[in-house]
Amino acid sequence: MKILTFNGSPRKKGNCSILLQELLRGAGDAGAECEEIWAQDLDLKYCRGCLRCNLLKKCSIRGDDWENLSSKILAADALVFASPVYFHHVSAPLKKILDRFRSFVHVQIRENGLVHTPWHTWKKDFVLLMPMGASQSAEAQPAVDLFTFITGILGDENRLHTVLGTRLAANRQVSMDREELGNLYEKLQLPGNLVEKDYYKNQEIIKICYECGKNLAMQNK
Ligand SMILES: Cc1cc2nc3c(=O)[nH]c(=O)nc-3n(C[C@H](O)[C@H](O)[C@H](O)COP(=O)(O)O)c2cc1C
């Protein structure tokens, strides 16, 4: 089985990367074939809204990485999108990719709204993995809604899994040991009694990511 991951963070060693590596470790241990993509490293143009994909059944933009990338997306059993929460949403490099997903569907305007019909049969696992600075995961709701929408229009049989990590404002915070976390919380003037609790919370999300990767690989065997 194939897993394609997208990392939408500009931090190469940030929270998204750490969590994604755990997911990949789990998937690798269960025998999955994985490929990692850095969203910001792609040579990708913005969707230009020409709507020609409605006729061509593919994106009309030529000369960038989309043709190659779209083949990989279609061939994958699971797609993992890791992004820091940026103003309640996914980061811009990831959104740029998601807008190009428009070319995977035919859209009709009807009196009651838009009707989306995918060009291909989709039966994939989607994972949305989002660390955030806030203490409440509701902070990521607009991004969760976006993924609920996209996975839904691409096919009823798609499955969406969300992994949301709270109170992760600093670089690499998710993998900090108690001492490092304690120093950080002192600097941030956060209550000291949160250190132990958050240390376990962070260990837990790392574990969840490993298990998520493993389950993806097992389910798609
Ligand atoms: C431009 C920017 C916007 C952000 N917006 C939010 C936000 O709306 N809500 C939130 O909880 N955290 C927000 N954050 C914090 C990040 O989501 C958080 O630090 C995350 O763990 C970063 O992940 P990374 O290390 O993989 O880049 C923002 C950070 C930046 C740089």
Side-chain angles (χ1 to χ4, degrees):
M1 68 87 57
K2 287 185 188 157
I3 300 180
L4 188 62
T5 70
F6 295 91
N7 192 333
S9 172
R11 291 175 179 167
K12 292 254 166 171
K13 292 179 180 168
N15 296 311
C16 285
S17 302
I18 294 163
L19 295 172
L20 209 43
Q21 286 317 308
E22 278 306 301
L23 187 146
L24 288 165
R25 199 167 66 80
D29 285 353
E33 186 189 320
C34 305
E35 182 172 348
E36 294 175 71
I37 290 175
W38 277 95
Q40 63 174 18
D41 286 353
L42 288 170
D43 172 21
L44 217 56
K45 299 193 173 87
Y46 289 103
C47 168
R48 55 186 179 203
C50 68
L51 304 182
R52 289 183 65 209
C53 49
N54 243 23
L55 298 170
L56 298 174
K57 301 189 179 182
K58 60 179 186 177
C59 187
S60 70
I61 300 173
R62 292 279 162 273
D64 71 3
D65 287 340
W66 181 251
E67 203 163 343
N68 186 23
L69 183 63
S70 59
S71 306
K72 287 181 183 179
I73 291 170
L74 292 170
D77 301 292
L79 302 172
V80 179
F81 298 87
S83 173
V85 172
Y86 274 5
F87 297 126
H88 297 242
H89 232 295
V90 296
S91 67
L94 204 56
K95 184 62 164 61
K96 197 180 187 185
I97 298 172
L98 293 172
D99 284 349
R100 299 288 290 273
F101 271 56
R102 169 63 178 81
S103 59
F104 287 133
V105 285
H106 180 255
V107 183
Q108 285 169 289
I109 305 167
R110 291 277 167 80
E111 199 182 333
N112 295 334
L114 301 178
V115 178
H116 299 85
T117 314
W119 300 121
H120 305 90
T121 304
W122 288 66
K123 190 181 174 184
K124 298 186 198 299
D125 284 290
F126 285 71
V127 178
L128 175 63
L129 174 53
M130 300 192 88
M132 68 198 84
S135 304
Q136 307 296 335
S137 60
E139 192 84 3
Q141 197 56 46
V144 174
D145 290 345
L146 169 67
F147 272 84
T148 304
F149 172 73
I150 289 185
T151 52
I153 61 166
L154 289 174
D156 293 342
E157 293 196 86
N158 288 324
R159 290 178 295 245
L160 174 63
H161 317 269
T162 54
V163 183
L164 307 174
T166 52
R167 209 147 51 224
L168 295 171
N171 199 10
R172 299 185 300 100
Q173 189 173 342
V174 74
S175 63
M176 284 181 183
D177 60 27
R178 288 178 181 83
E179 194 186 339
E180 221 180 338
L181 208 55
N183 293 337
L184 175 73
Y185 280 22
E186 205 177 316
K187 211 164 96 187
L188 298 176
Q189 295 182 324
L190 282 171
N193 62 3
L194 282 181
V195 174
E196 191 70 5
K197 193 174 150 222
D198 283 1
Y199 173 74
Y200 283 112
K201 173 182 68 65
N202 295 345
Q203 292 300 305
E204 185 58 25
I205 192 176
I206 288 173
K207 205 168 124 200
I208 288 171
C209 287
Y210 177 85
E211 291 300 329
C212 178
K214 207 167 162 184
N215 289 338
L216 285 179
M218 310 275 266
Q219 278 164 21
N220 290 288
K221 256 195 176 140

